[in-house]
Amino acid sequence: MGITRKVWIAYRDTIELKEPIAIVGSSGLRSVGKLVVDELVEKAHPRLFADLHSYGFPSLYYGPSYLGAPSSVGVKIAKGSVVELPSVEFYAIEDRVQDIIITRGYQSYNAPNQYAVADAVSDLFKELRVKKVLSLGAQVIEEGITGCATDLDVLEELRTFGIKKTHVDRFIGFSGLVVAVGRGKGLKGACIFANTTQNLADPEYPDFNAAKKLLEKVGEIVELRIDTSDLEERRRREKELMEKRREREEEQSRVKERERERVELSGYV
C-alpha cells in the first residue's frame, strides 16, 4: 500500500506581486539560512500571506532531519494556547521596485516528503510568477560568499555581486531542493552560501557572523537595506561566552594536572 504524502497551502490573504524574487531559508548547517530569513521577517516587517502544511512535518525538531535525526508527529501550541500545524511560511514585501517573497522553510522527516514539499513550493512560485529564487545556506570549504545556479546567466549575475562559483558538490535539505525542483519547471534560481566552520557536536549551532555576511549580500542583490547590528551583537556575546568556556576548561585541565602530579609525588613523601 502506498503512503499518501499530502501537502497543502492555506492562504491567509490575497496577494498581488510584480515578478517577485523569492528568498528561501531553513534550518541547516550552522543555522545560517534560518538566521537570515528570521532577520528578514523581523526587520523588514513583511506580510504573512500563506502557510504550507505537510504530512511529513514533525512537530518537534530534534536536529538536522536531513542527517537522520528523529522526529515526532503532532502540533505546535502557539501563544494563547492555540494549536497550530508546523508549516513553511510565506511572507511578502510589496509595493517596491522589486517585490520579495520570504520563505521560512521547514525540514520534512524523510526524502519523499522533502520532495513533495519542494514540489509544492515551486508550484506556488510558478503561480506567483517568481522571477528568481535565492536559496540560502552555508558551506565549510570555500572562503567568502559562493554560489551555484540553474543556468549560466544567473551565475554571471551572481559574479557581478562578487559571488564566486562554488565547487562544493552538495546542498542538503529543503532550501537547495526548491531551486533544483523549480529548475525543471522553468524557474531560474541560485543557491548562495556563506563560509562557516563545522560544529560536530551540534551541526546547527548558530554562526551569527556567517549569517550577517550572507544577509548583507542578499540585501545587496534585492536592494533591501537590513540592519545587521543584532547579529553582530549576538556574534560578540557568543564569542565572549566561548572565551569564558575555554578559560574554564583550561583551568579545569590545570587543576587536574596539578592533582595528577600531587598523586604521583605522594609516594616520595
Side-chain angles (χ1 to χ4, degrees), residues 21-24 35-37 39-41 43-44 93 96-102 132 134-136 145 157-158 161 163 192 210-228 231:
I21 289 178
I23 299 172
V24 180
L35 286 169
V36 172
V37 295
E39 284 294 296
L40 286 169
V41 169
K43 299 292 177 57
I93 301 177
R96 302 174 67 251
V97 174
Q98 177 59 67
D99 289 341
I100 299 171
I101 297 172
I102 300 171
K132 191 182 303 140
L134 302 178
S135 281
L136 312 180
I145 305 294
E157 184 180 350
L158 294 182
F161 289 101
I163 300 174
I192 306 175
K212 175 179 179 291
K213 292 178 179 178
L214 186 55
L215 177 55
E216 290 171 343
K217 183 60 66 176
V218 170
E220 181 183 349
I221 294 171
V222 301
E223 301 181 50
L224 183 65
R225 187 182 295 274
I226 297 292
D227 179 12
T228 60
L231 287 173

Side-chain angles (χ1 to χ4, degrees), residues 128-139:
L128 295 176
R129 301 181 183 277
V130 165
K131 179 168 65 175
K132 191 182 303 140
V133 182
L134 302 178
S135 281
L136 312 180
Q139 50 81 24

Side-chain angles (χ1 to χ4, degrees), residues 1 10 35 49 78 175 181 192 199 240 243 264 266:
M1 181 182 294
L35 286 169
F49 70 91
S175 299
V181 172
I192 306 175
N199 185 318
E240 290 177 353
E243 289 175 351
E264 289 179 349
S266 64

Side-chain angles (χ1 to χ4, degrees), residues 97-253:
V97 174
Q98 177 59 67
D99 289 341
I100 299 171
I101 297 172
I102 300 171
T103 306
R104 182 184 267 162
Y106 200 92
Q107 301 285 0
S108 298
Y109 60 74
N110 62 16
N113 283 295
Q114 289 279 38
Y115 269 90
V117 170
D119 191 49
V121 171
S122 58
D123 281 344
L124 176 64
F125 289 168
K126 188 78 173 176
E127 177 186 334
L128 295 176
R129 301 181 183 277
V130 165
K131 179 168 65 175
K132 191 182 303 140
V133 182
L134 302 178
S135 281
L136 312 180
Q139 50 81 24
V140 300
I141 298 173
E142 301 161 333
E143 295 296 323
I145 305 294
T146 59
C148 57
T150 55
D151 56 72
L152 295 177
D153 289 344
V154 178
L155 273 178
E156 178 60 24
E157 184 180 350
L158 294 182
R159 190 187 66 79
T160 65
F161 289 101
I163 300 174
K164 299 172 290 185
K165 182 171 64 174
T166 186
H167 294 92
V168 173
D169 65 354
R170 294 289 186 277
F171 185 11
I172 301 173
F174 166 83
S175 299
L177 197 57
V178 169
V179 170
V181 172
R183 179 174 183 255
K185 301 177 183 182
L187 289 169
K188 290 180 176 290
C191 303
I192 306 175
F193 310 110
N195 176 253
T196 188
T197 55
Q198 281 186 312
N199 185 318
L200 296 178
D202 184 356
E204 296 188 4
Y205 193 84
D207 185 338
F208 300 111
N209 189 49
K212 175 179 179 291
K213 292 178 179 178
L214 186 55
L215 177 55
E216 290 171 343
K217 183 60 66 176
V218 170
E220 181 183 349
I221 294 171
V222 301
E223 301 181 50
L224 183 65
R225 187 182 295 274
I226 297 292
D227 179 12
T228 60
S229 59
D230 285 352
L231 287 173
E232 176 60 29
E233 176 61 20
R234 293 166 78 182
R235 182 203 66 80
R236 186 190 63 77
R237 291 201 304 265
E238 181 62 24
K239 184 178 179 181
E240 290 177 353
L241 287 173
M242 294 294 289
E243 289 175 351
K244 290 178 180 178
R245 185 179 304 158
R246 184 170 62 252
E247 290 172 359
R248 286 197 304 270
E249 290 173 350
E250 290 174 353
E251 178 60 26
Q252 290 170 357
S253 179

